[in-house]
C-alpha cells in the first residue's frame, strides 16, 4: 500500500477554500524525483518527460474521474475512481504520483498529496499503470 | 478471496511456467500452484494462457481524520 504523503500547504489551502472537491478538476502526474512536503504548486514538481501517451507540464497529467465528495454523520469523505493509464510507448522511469488541483487559481495548480510506488518503474507499450484509490474509505476523510 | 490468491498471497514468485494450456507458479518457499481455465461445469476450456494485461498497480492509501477535534482540559476548581 502506497502511503498518503501530505504537502504541508494543502491543509492551509483547504481551510482557505482554494480546494473544492465537489467542483474542481484534480489530476495526477508522474515523477521520478521525490517531492518534499514543503512543495506547494505543480511547478515545484519535476515531472517525467512527455511521451508514450503521457503529457505533463502545466495543466497536464491524468484527470481523475468520478471524484465524489460526500458527508455522513458529520464525516466528509472524497472518493475517486481508479485511474488506469495505458502506455502507448515507453514511459518513465517514474516512482512518485503527486495529485494537484487543476482548477485552483490562487495559488494555481495547488498540490494535494503524493504517493510513492516504492521503486522506479518503466512502462512499455501496452502496459498499464493503475492508480488504485480506496473506494470505501476514500482519499481523505474530514471529521 | 480466490483459491489462487489464497495459495500465492505473500509469497515471492520464483518462476512461472506454461505448457501452453496451464500456468504454473513456483514460489521461492517451494509452494507451487498450477492454474487452469474451466467452464461453469468444471471442464477444462481449450486455449492457452497468455499475458493479456501486464503493468503495475499503486494502491493509494487515504488520509483519515484531517481535523482532530479539540479537547477541553479542566484543572480543578477555583
Amino acid at each position: 500500500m502506497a502511503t498518503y504523503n501530505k504537502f504541508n500547504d494543502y491543509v492551509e489551502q483547504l481551510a482557505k477554500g482554494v480546494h473544492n472537491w465537489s467542483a474542481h478538476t484534480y489530476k495526477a502526474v508522474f515523477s521520478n524525483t521525490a517531492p518534499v512536503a514543503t512543495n506547494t504548486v505543480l511547478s515545484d514538481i519535476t515531472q517525467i518527460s512527455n511521451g508514450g501517451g503521457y503529457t505533463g507540464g502545466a495543466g497536464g497529467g491524468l484527470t481523475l474521474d468520478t471524484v465524489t465528495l460526500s458527508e455522513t454523520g458529520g464525516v466528509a469523505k472524497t472518493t475517486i475512481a481508479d485511474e488506469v493509464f495505458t502506455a502507448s510507448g515507453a514511459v518513465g522511469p517514474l516512482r512518485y504520483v503527486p495529485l494537484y488541483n487543476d482548477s485552483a487559481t490562487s495559488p494555481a495548480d495547488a498540490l494535494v498529496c503524493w504517493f510513492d510506488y516504492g521503486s522506479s518503474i518503466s512502462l512499455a507499450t501496452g502496459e498499464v499503470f493503475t492508480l488504485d484509490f480506496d473506494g470505501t474509505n476514500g482519499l481523505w476523510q474530514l471529521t | 478471496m480466490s483459491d489462487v490468491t489464497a495459495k500465492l498471497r505473500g509469497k515471492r514468485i520464483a518462476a512461472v511456467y506454461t505448457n501452453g494450456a496451464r500456468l504454473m507458479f513456483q514460489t521461492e518457499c517451494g509452494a507451487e500452484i498450477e492454474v487452469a481455465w474451466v467452464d461453469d461445469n468444471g471442464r477444462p476450456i481449450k486455449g492457452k494462457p497468455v499475458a493479456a494485461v501486464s503493468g503495475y498497480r499503486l494502491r493509494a492509501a487515504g488520509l483519515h481524520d484531517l481535523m482532530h477535534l479539540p479537547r477541553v482540559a479542566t484543572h480543578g476548581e477555583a
Side-chain angles (χ1 to χ4, degrees), chain A residues 2 128 130 132 139-141 143, chain B residues 56-61 63 66:
Chain A
V128 300
T130 301
D132 188 343
L139 175 69
W140 57 261
Q141 292 185 14
T143 185
Chain B
Y56 304 88
R57 180 178 295 268
L58 184 152
R59 298 187 186 280
L63 175 67
L66 267 179

Side-chain angles (χ1 to χ4, degrees), chain A residues 75-125:
Chain A
V75 178
K77 175 175 71 175
T78 287
T79 55
I80 305 174
D82 292 350
E83 186 67 27
V84 179
F85 170 80
T86 303
S88 59
V91 175
L94 70 103
R95 172 170 171 169
Y96 306 96
V97 184
L99 307 188
Y100 77 99
N101 183 342
D102 192 33
S103 301
T105 55
S106 183
D109 298 341
L111 294 172
V112 176
C113 64
W114 84 90
F115 296 98
D116 180 356
Y117 184 78
S119 61
S120 293
I121 58 173
S122 294
L123 303 175
T125 302

Side-chain angles (χ1 to χ4, degrees), chain A residues 22-108:
Chain A
S22 65
H24 286 173
T25 297
Y26 288 85
K27 296 184 178 180
V29 296
F30 293 156
S31 173
N32 205 41
T33 303
V36 293
T38 52
N39 291 152
T40 58
V41 293
L42 181 63
S43 58
D44 294 335
I45 301 298
T46 303
Q47 296 183 55
I48 65 170
S49 302
N50 292 345
Y54 178 78
T55 302
L62 316 177
T63 301
L64 301 181
D65 305 309
T66 317
V67 178
T68 304
L69 174 64
S70 62
E71 178 270 328
T72 302
V75 178
K77 175 175 71 175
T78 287
T79 55
I80 305 174
D82 292 350
E83 186 67 27
V84 179
F85 170 80
T86 303
S88 59
V91 175
L94 70 103
R95 172 170 171 169
Y96 306 96
V97 184
L99 307 188
Y100 77 99
N101 183 342
D102 192 33
S103 301
T105 55
S106 183

